[in-house]
Amino acid sequence: QSALTQPASVSGSPGQSITISCTGTSSDVGNYNLVSWYQQHPGKAPKLMIYEVSTRPSGVSNRFSGSKSGNKASLTISGLQAEDEADYYCCSYAGSSISMVFGGGTKVTVL
Amino acid sequence: EVQLVESGGGLVQPGGSLRLSCAASGFNFDDYAIHWVRQVPGRGLEWVSGISWNSGNRGYVDSVKGRFTISRDSAKKSLYLQMNSLRPEDTALYYCAKFSGNYASPERHFDSWGQGTLVTVSS
């Protein structure tokens, strides 16, 4: 049950693309295509941005995309905008029907 | 509209107990697994516990096993977290979060969250 590993911070200029990595193990990220990503602005509850590795919920901008290779998942934000400045968390199903594990979170700064 | 409203947080001394509640509305409560996720102020999210739609499956993060118990009440459409032997490191904002897929679904992600209830463990 170790937390997934994310970089503490990533930054980019408006219009640029950034990628946030999320590294797990063969017991979570590597074993299931059930990685999700959440955006959290200060003082707010998390918001689902990507699920099942690369699926966007209705209403989420297509500037957000997800992928996975082996034990590593990634979230890419293209055409970075000021409103994208927030904390981002990856999350993976970890088995036993109910267990989940989060990453430590990545602070995205728009320069 | 799905609503999850947590309550029961507060200040408690180390070694004490607290029971959190999460009142659910806007969806068929009996069909969905629901979870507790906590966040130390200024820190990251941590999955704490989850319970399946029929209470047949319950899971806990290692750090709370044997101290916390998750349960649900269908008639009251509520989720609970009984927290015993509380430690300072349990201090956090506790969110209630719902799985997106119902009992028949393989989906494993959270589509709705409450606003959280703050638990502070301190002498």
Side-chain angles (χ1 to χ4, degrees), chain A residues 1 34 36 38 40 43-48 50-52 89 91 93 96-105, chain B residues 33 35 37 39 43-47 50-52 57-62 95 99 106-110 113-115:
Chain A
Q1 286 186 334
L34 293 170
S36 50
Y38 302 85
Q40 187 181 36
K44 300 294 187 181
K47 174 188 175 184
L48 178 67
I50 293 286
Y51 65 94
E52 291 174 1
Y89 296 90
C91 181
Y93 173 60
S96 303
S97 184
I98 203 81
S99 295
M100 305 292 285
V101 60
F102 281 92
Chain B
H35 301 247
V37 176
Q39 184 170 36
R43 304 289 296 275
L45 299 172
E46 179 183 39
W47 178 79
I51 186 169
S52 62
N57 197 353
R58 309 179 197 213
Y60 303 90
V61 67
D62 286 346
Y95 290 104
F99 257 177
E107 296 176 0
R108 292 292 185 271
H109 55 273
F110 306 108
W113 298 69
Q115 288 304 306

Side-chain angles (χ1 to χ4, degrees), chain A residues 47-67:
Chain A
K47 174 188 175 184
L48 178 67
M49 303 302 285
I50 293 286
Y51 65 94
E52 291 174 1
V53 176
S54 60
T55 304
R56 277 187 313 276
S58 173
V60 172
S61 171
N62 59 8
R63 297 185 298 104
F64 292 84
S65 61
S67 63

Side-chain angles (χ1 to χ4, degrees), chain B residues 88-102:
Chain B
E89 54 264 37
D90 296 318
T91 294
L93 184 66
Y94 283 73
Y95 290 104
C96 169
K98 166 189 162 290
F99 257 177
S100 61
N102 66 13

Side-chain angles (χ1 to χ4, degrees), chain A residues 16-31:
Chain A
Q16 286 187 330
S17 292
I18 61 169
T19 296
I20 303 168
S21 62
C22 169
T23 303
T25 69
S26 57
S27 297
D28 38 63
V29 174
N31 201 30

